[in-house]
């Protein structure tokens, strides 16, 4: 087990001031049998050259230069050539603890599972920890538990980069090109394909609170991609006849839809048509949730208020 190769995929675009710290943290892993796939996604700065220089000094590094296609496309390019039995992802403006790979792999081997997950340090550029996110105890979670908790603001269950996966799990799954919220489109499908997930109770992934990142920027139309992801998730659970997960996912979708409505109203100019579209979506999807016995009355009340008057809901939220 100690000699199993692990592929680490790093999508890279316009992160010149962060890329060295990211790559150094991977090179210096205590677990040595790794291939480091650096995917230069047509970055217009010096990232591609920096990657090539690192490749000259470490034969475990593979550099892919490609036209810009976005984060999902870059990750997919890495998956297409990965040779490791296991795969992990690191975003190029983040960095990892030197035991990140070792401890995630050890958890998989010891617990005989196909996915492991660690905690996250949310950090400033100077390394100061703002927040620690994750489970506080080592444990084994079922996929059903993980999928339920994904809808309870457990952000660490959604993101792809604090986990290690058996590579075979990605055999028929890729990230959605051209979308943001790409992990919302993808992670639940991977979790559904396995029965158990090993939780590591250490905070091994350092997520940089970067205002220049896609998710750090002010709300814009692209952020509505999350609704498409959640609509696909609802359809997925319906197709697989997962009644409880369907109800939970539908309730979560309606919450996000109302949040998007508020954000559109606040941040998007000439948004009347878009507001109408979101109100109509909410109306169409809310019919079922009001009949569900699994959904809390508090959630149903919010659905009803929005159905009766989106403007009233907006005023309540504003004040």
């Amino acid at each position: 087990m100690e000699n199993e190769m692990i592929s680490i995929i790093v999508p890279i675009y316009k992160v010149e001031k962060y890329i060295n710290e990211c790559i150094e943290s991977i090179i210096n892993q205590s677990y040595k049998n790794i291939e480091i796939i650096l995917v230069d996604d047509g970055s217009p700065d010096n990232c591609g050259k920096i990657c090539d220089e690192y490749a000259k000094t470490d034969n475990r590094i593979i550099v892919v230069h490609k036209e810009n296609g976005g984060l999902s496309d870059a990750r997919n390019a890495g998956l297409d050539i990965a040779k490791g039995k296991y795969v992990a992802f690191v975003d190029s403006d983040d960095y990892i603890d030197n035991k990140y790979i070792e401890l995630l792999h050890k958890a998989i081997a010891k617990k005989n599972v196909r996915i492991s997950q660690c905690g996250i340090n949310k950090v400033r550029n100077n390394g100061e920890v703002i927040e620690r996110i994750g489970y506080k105890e080592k444990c084994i979670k079922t996929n059903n538990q993980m999928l339920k908790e994904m809808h309870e603001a457990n952000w660490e269950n959604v993101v792809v980069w604090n986990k290690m996966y058996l590579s075979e799990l990605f055999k028929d799954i890729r990230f959605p090109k051209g979308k943001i919220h790409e992990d919302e489109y993808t992670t639940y499908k991977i979790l559904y394909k396995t029965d158990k997930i090993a939780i590591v109770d250490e905070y091994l992934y350092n997520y940089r609170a970067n205002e220049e990142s896609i998710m750090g920027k002010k709300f814009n139309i692209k952020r509505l991609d999350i609704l498409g992801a959640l609509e696909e998730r609802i359809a997925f659970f319906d197709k697989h006849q997962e009644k409880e997960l369907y109800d939970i996912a539908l309730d979560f979708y309606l919450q996000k839809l109302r949040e998007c409505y508020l954000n559109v109203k606040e941040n998007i100019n000439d948004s009347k048509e878009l507001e109408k579209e979101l109100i109509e979506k909410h109306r169409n999807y809310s019919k079922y949730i009001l009949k569900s016995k699994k959904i809390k009355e508090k959630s149903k009340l919010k659905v009803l208020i929005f159905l009766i008057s989106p403007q009233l809901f907006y005023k309540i939220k504003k004040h």
Side-chain angles (χ1 to χ4, degrees):
M1 295 291 284
E2 291 181 3
N3 291 321
E4 291 174 329
M5 179 185 280
I6 297 165
S7 301
I8 305 171
I9 297 171
V10 187
I12 297 165
Y13 185 74
K14 289 178 69 173
V15 287
E16 189 173 341
K17 61 184 177 181
Y18 305 123
I19 189 63
N20 292 86
E21 185 174 22
C22 177
I23 296 174
E24 291 285 347
S25 74
I26 300 172
I27 288 173
N28 293 320
Q29 288 296 295
S30 57
Y31 190 99
K32 301 302 181 185
N33 191 14
I34 57 177
E35 64 169 3
I36 305 166
I37 303 174
L38 305 178
V39 184
D40 167 26
D41 190 34
S43 190
D45 55 12
N46 289 314
C47 281
K49 293 178 182 177
I50 293 169
C51 291
D52 289 338
E53 288 302 312
Y54 272 107
K56 292 175 184 177
T57 66
D58 193 322
N59 60 14
R60 299 174 300 173
I61 293 177
I62 301 164
V63 181
V64 177
H65 297 287
K66 60 182 286 298
E67 291 184 3
N68 179 248
L71 177 59
S72 289
D73 197 45
R75 285 179 180 167
N76 292 340
L79 283 169
D80 289 343
I81 64 168
K83 295 184 177 67
K85 181 172 181 179
Y86 298 95
V87 63
F89 300 89
V90 179
D91 280 359
S92 51
D93 51 352
D94 300 332
Y95 56 98
I96 53 178
D97 185 277
N98 67 352
K99 288 193 173 182
Y100 173 75
I101 294 297
E102 177 188 342
L103 295 182
L104 285 177
H105 180 259
K106 190 176 290 185
I108 282 178
K110 186 175 181 180
K111 300 299 183 181
N112 192 28
V113 297
R114 299 194 288 175
I115 301 176
S116 58
Q117 174 174 305
C118 69
I120 301 162
N121 290 315
K122 189 175 181 181
V123 300
R124 301 188 197 279
N125 284 339
N126 63 3
E128 177 190 354
V129 177
I130 304 168
E131 182 183 5
R132 286 189 156 181
I133 304 162
Y135 295 100
K136 295 180 180 179
E137 296 180 354
K138 289 181 183 177
C139 60
I140 297 293
K141 292 275 187 178
T142 66
N143 65 349
N144 192 267
Q145 287 174 315
M146 292 284 283
L147 289 166
K148 285 180 184 176
E149 291 167 13
M150 179 184 287
H151 299 90
E152 297 170 4
N154 281 37
W155 175 58
E156 67 272 21
N157 288 8
V158 176
V159 294
V160 73
W161 35 251
N162 64 332
K163 301 172 179 67
M164 182 178 291
Y165 313 82
L166 183 70
S167 296
E168 288 179 6
L169 293 171
F170 283 93
K171 185 177 180 181
D172 57 353
I173 293 176
R174 288 294 186 269
F175 295 92
K177 185 176 179 180
K179 302 288 186 182
I180 65 170
H181 295 287
E182 58 285 324
D183 295 352
E184 295 278 11
Y185 279 90
T186 310
T187 308
Y188 72 92
K189 297 174 187 175
I190 299 294
L191 292 175
Y192 191 77
K193 289 176 72 172
T194 190
D195 55 348
K196 296 179 295 184
I197 297 91
I199 302 298
V200 176
D201 63 342
E202 295 191 47
Y203 302 89
L204 304 172
Y205 191 97
N206 297 293
Y207 166 76
R208 197 183 302 274
N210 182 7
E211 292 183 358
E212 298 171 15
S213 69
I214 293 170
M215 300 312 296
K217 293 177 180 177
K218 184 179 176 182
F219 182 89
N220 57 62
I221 291 292
K222 279 298 290 177
R223 297 285 283 274
L224 295 179
D225 280 355
I226 192 171
L227 298 180
L230 297 180
E231 287 165 10
E232 285 190 11
R233 190 184 300 176
I234 292 166
F236 179 89
F237 290 140
D238 188 31
K239 177 183 176 181
H240 290 86
Q241 300 182 340
E242 294 287 354
K243 179 71 168 55
E244 186 178 16
L245 289 172
Y246 174 86
D247 283 10
I248 292 169
L250 181 54
D251 183 42
F252 186 73
Y253 168 75
L254 291 173
Q255 292 174 41
K256 290 295 178 185
L257 199 155
R258 293 191 295 270
E259 286 177 19
C260 287
Y261 172 83
L262 296 175
N263 276 312
V264 164
K265 202 167 181 63
E266 286 284 319
N267 299 293
I268 306 298
N269 295 327
D270 301 319
S271 62
K272 293 297 182 184
E273 288 302 314
L274 184 52
E275 288 174 38
K276 287 180 183 177
E277 183 182 330
L278 295 175
I279 290 168
E280 186 62 25
K281 278 179 178 285
H282 188 277
R283 184 179 293 113
N284 291 337
Y285 277 94
S286 62
K287 296 171 184 176
Y288 174 81
I289 210 72
L290 294 172
K291 300 176 183 177
S292 173
K293 295 179 180 179
K294 300 287 185 181
I295 302 304
K296 295 177 181 177
E297 292 303 318
K298 187 177 179 181
S299 290
K300 290 183 180 181
L301 179 59
K302 290 177 182 177
V303 170
L304 278 171
I305 292 171
F306 193 86
L307 277 173
I308 294 166
S309 175
Q311 288 290 344
L312 175 61
F313 184 85
Y314 174 73
K315 288 179 181 178
I316 292 171
K317 283 292 184 181
K318 279 283 285 181
H319 300 286

